[in-house]
Amino acid sequence: MTHLGKRLDRPVVLVGLMGVGKSTVGRRLAKRLGLTFVDSDAEIEDASGYAAAEMFERYGERDFRDGERRLVARLVEGDVRVIATGGGAYVDPATRQLLNERAITVWLDAPVDILAERTSRRDTRAQLRNSDPKVVLERLMNERRPSYEEAHIHVRSGDGAHMDVVDAIIRALDDYLAGSG
């Protein structure tokens, strides 16, 4: 485990809109820190047997978020690790409070144009299936920004390399730990 990874006493949780790279960046961040990586959407799929998007469509957002909240609560208990959450998980007030109390939250933020391009590559996003992705993402960003702004750390990403985002998160984590210790 790296020096920074050893200094962490709680999970690092990545939050932000769909398409921002929470899973891809999270895997690379975990590797750099010498920690395990967990994707909450993948955990939902493993537990339910359904893709997260299918669960969302089948049971509706309220029931999906309720299950997601219980899952995230289990994920933050236990080993120090890197966790990628679904795009709306952190918007739920109870989930946000839990994460801010028991983890270090990192808001990954990217321009909507980049998010729309990334999410258009695959048809796995329930909220984008029947609408203009850019319009939906703009609306979601406007609705969710106040929640995301409560994260401990804010890292902007763009169309550059994922490793640049990982480097920025590591610098921000180091600064955060230096300021909170």
Side-chain angles (χ1 to χ4, degrees):
M1 188 182 300
T2 67
H3 176 66
L4 180 60
K6 289 177 185 172
R7 289 173 49 210
L8 292 167
D9 62 352
R10 55 200 152 142
V12 175
V13 178
L14 305 180
V15 302
L17 279 180
M18 63 183 94
V20 77
K22 296 180 299 287
S23 297
T24 303
V25 168
R27 276 186 206 89
R28 293 173 183 192
L29 177 64
K31 186 175 182 178
R32 285 270 300 276
L33 294 173
L35 301 173
T36 57
F37 171 75
V38 180
D39 184 306
S40 68
D41 282 349
E43 293 292 312
I44 288 170
E45 292 170 19
D46 288 348
S48 69
Y50 297 109
E54 189 175 348
M55 291 284 293
F56 191 94
E57 287 176 341
R58 235 174 223 252
Y59 299 104
E61 185 169 8
R62 191 178 73 196
D63 286 347
F64 177 83
R65 296 291 175 218
D66 185 50
E68 184 178 52
R69 180 182 324 102
R70 290 191 309 269
L71 172 80
V72 168
R74 284 195 309 272
L75 293 177
V76 297
E77 298 301 323
D79 296 339
V80 174
R81 55 184 149 193
V82 176
I83 303 168
T85 61
Y90 194 70
V91 177
D92 177 81
T95 302
R96 186 170 59 253
Q97 180 179 349
L98 172 82
L99 291 175
N100 282 344
E101 288 173 357
R102 299 190 186 160
I104 299 172
T105 51
V106 179
W107 172 25
L108 294 184
D109 185 17
V112 169
D113 288 341
I114 290 172
L115 299 177
E117 190 277 321
R118 287 180 185 167
T119 56
S120 70
R121 296 176 194 161
R122 290 181 287 155
D123 185 29
T124 58
R125 316 289 180 158
Q127 294 174 302
L128 302 181
R129 284 197 177 135
N130 300 316
S131 303
D132 178 343
K134 187 173 178 186
V135 171
V136 173
L137 288 163
E138 283 279 0
R139 179 181 55 78
L140 289 173
M141 178 56 84
N142 290 333
E143 291 171 0
R144 294 176 177 180
R145 180 180 303 279
S147 297
Y148 291 151
E149 287 175 341
E150 291 184 32
H152 298 118
I153 296 170
H154 181 189
V155 173
R156 295 186 191 277
S157 70
D159 56 4
H162 290 299
M163 288 312 293
D164 293 341
V165 178
V166 171
D167 290 342
I169 294 170
I170 287 174
R171 285 190 303 273
L173 281 169
D174 194 42
D175 290 346
Y176 179 82
L177 292 174
S180 65

